[in-house]
Amino acid sequence: MADDVSTYRARATSERANAAASSLANVRDRCERSAIAWDLMADRAERVTTQRLEREAITAQRVNGTTA
């Protein structure tokens, strides 16, 4: 999942560069919207990973008979 997050962040950075390089307003807007979407996907992937790790830790504690 970390690869996904870094891929999403790289795509967002790329889209921002494309926006900065464009002389056309509609292309700039499209690239900026795309960058925002890639950032949102990266944020979501990070949240999902964090939640999964938390659930796994809770499950491991239950299996081992310990409590937090």
Side-chain angles (χ1 to χ4, degrees), residues 1-33:
M1 191 61 126
D3 289 337
D4 290 340
V5 172
S6 61
T7 300
Y8 298 156
R9 296 285 183 212
R11 291 295 303 263
T13 300
S14 174
E15 290 298 330
R16 283 191 186 87
N18 291 340
S22 178
S23 61
L24 300 172
N26 62 329
V27 174
R28 265 194 316 274
D29 293 343
R30 184 192 70 218
C31 291
E32 289 168 358
R33 286 192 309 269

